[in-house]
Amino acid sequence: MHPGPYNPPPGAYPPPGPYGRNVPRYGHPGAGSRRGGCSCLKVYCCCCCCLFITLVLIIGGIVLAYFIIKPHTPKFSIDKFEVKSFNISDDFSLKSHLEITAKADNPNKYIEITYGEGKEPKDNSVQVSYSNVTLCSGTIPNIFQPKKNVTMIKIDLKGDLKKEDWAAGSGDSLASKLKNNDKIPLLVAIKAPVKVKLGSWWVTKDEPLVVSINATMNVKNLAEGKNPEISDKKYSIGLLFGKIYTKLS
């Protein structure tokens, strides 16, 4: 019999399997692994797209909240000195009792502030110094300031200096300025812990911010029974959060 389409030569087809069935043929080895690789790549791309969309939504939400809230830095100033006692003796011992009035202006529409409540005592201090010598000191009282509000904070300061507490010549210099009623250059250094409330949410409840204010000024009539005059005020304001310090002005 001659070979033809209906009479293939011997060996043209594989022998039948058991029970007369032909063994099934499979595609090229590795085709399945390529399909698995494509599936992994699609999952990876989907994850990247979802992550990108999530980041865009978060950043967009923060930007939108910023423009809605419009946060402003509160403004601080020293407005008044009241002298309850300020007596320097011939041996340069000084007993002083001052009350200064600080003005805190909160221009924010949605933010409220609490002053004076800190975790560490060192974070709440007010010092009045002359020529690097602290004349008197005190602390910021606990005060809550509503939104869009101007609050006057009265700070009680006391000091008791001996002759040995003065730097070289500083006691004599201060006594001379008081006698001649000259302007006295003073530094008022304030560290105030603050807690910020946004709506009903305390933003810094557990870790309060610390506002640092250094105010230099000239004060005249620094004596009991007189009305002190404050001039040439300059302020340096910074913000401390944990160990991060940011200068505001």
Side-chain angles (χ1 to χ4, degrees):
M1 183 179 295
H2 297 285
Y6 299 102
N7 298 296
Y13 294 103
Y19 308 105
R21 296 179 180 177
N22 290 330
V23 178
R25 299 181 181 181
Y26 297 96
H28 189 276
S33 62
R34 283 200 300 271
R35 286 194 295 269
C38 290
S39 299
C40 292
L41 183 60
K42 289 179 180 178
V43 172
Y44 176 76
C45 291
C46 287
C47 291
C48 289
C49 289
C50 290
L51 180 61
F52 177 75
I53 292 172
T54 302
L55 288 175
V56 170
L57 291 175
I58 291 174
I59 294 173
I62 293 173
V63 172
L64 180 62
Y66 179 85
F67 283 104
I68 292 175
I69 297 171
K70 295 181 180 178
H72 298 282
T73 303
K75 299 176 182 179
F76 302 93
S77 62
I78 305 298
D79 273 19
K80 185 180 178 182
F81 263 81
E82 183 179 347
V83 182
K84 297 186 176 181
S85 66
F86 200 85
N87 302 311
I88 187 167
S89 61
D90 294 337
D91 64 351
F92 301 121
S93 61
L94 171 67
K95 288 191 175 183
S96 58
H97 184 186
L98 305 178
E99 184 180 83
I100 65 174
T101 301
K103 182 171 78 171
D105 182 3
N106 177 19
N108 292 285
K109 187 177 180 180
Y110 300 100
I111 295 175
E112 298 172 313
I113 303 172
T114 295
Y115 298 91
E117 295 182 4
K119 296 176 66 175
E120 300 291 338
K122 64 180 179 62
D123 292 337
N124 187 344
S125 66
V126 183
Q127 296 179 338
V128 175
S129 302
Y130 169 78
S131 190
N132 295 322
V133 177
T134 301
L135 304 179
C136 51
S137 60
T139 58
I140 294 281
N142 292 351
I143 290 179
F144 175 76
Q145 184 176 32
K147 52 197 173 185
K148 294 188 74 66
N149 173 268
V150 176
T151 300
M152 309 304 288
I153 305 174
K154 292 189 175 183
I155 306 168
D156 200 54
L157 306 170
K158 293 181 179 180
D160 188 0
L161 292 180
K162 306 301 181 185
K163 181 179 179 180
E164 57 271 16
D165 296 327
W166 294 96
S170 57
D172 185 52
S173 171
L174 179 61
S176 174
K177 289 181 181 296
L178 288 171
K179 183 178 180 180
N180 297 324
N181 197 26
D182 292 335
K183 291 181 178 180
I184 301 173
L186 296 179
L187 168 66
V188 180
I190 300 175
K191 289 181 70 177
V194 298
K195 294 181 180 180
V196 178
K197 186 179 181 183
L198 177 59
S200 59
W201 176 47
W202 286 99
V203 181
T204 57
K205 183 177 181 180
D206 298 325
E207 188 67 33
L209 302 170
V210 178
V211 176
S212 175
I213 305 170
N214 287 332
T216 59
M217 61 194 70
N218 289 320
V219 181
K220 194 174 181 180
N221 296 331
L222 191 63
E224 187 176 354
K226 292 187 177 181
N227 187 21
E229 300 174 7
I230 306 173
S231 61
D232 306 319
K233 293 185 287 186
K234 295 180 181 179
Y235 299 93
S236 175
I237 302 175
L239 194 63
L240 183 65
F241 183 66
K243 295 183 179 180
I244 302 174
Y245 178 81
T246 304
K247 188 174 181 179
L248 300 178
S249 65

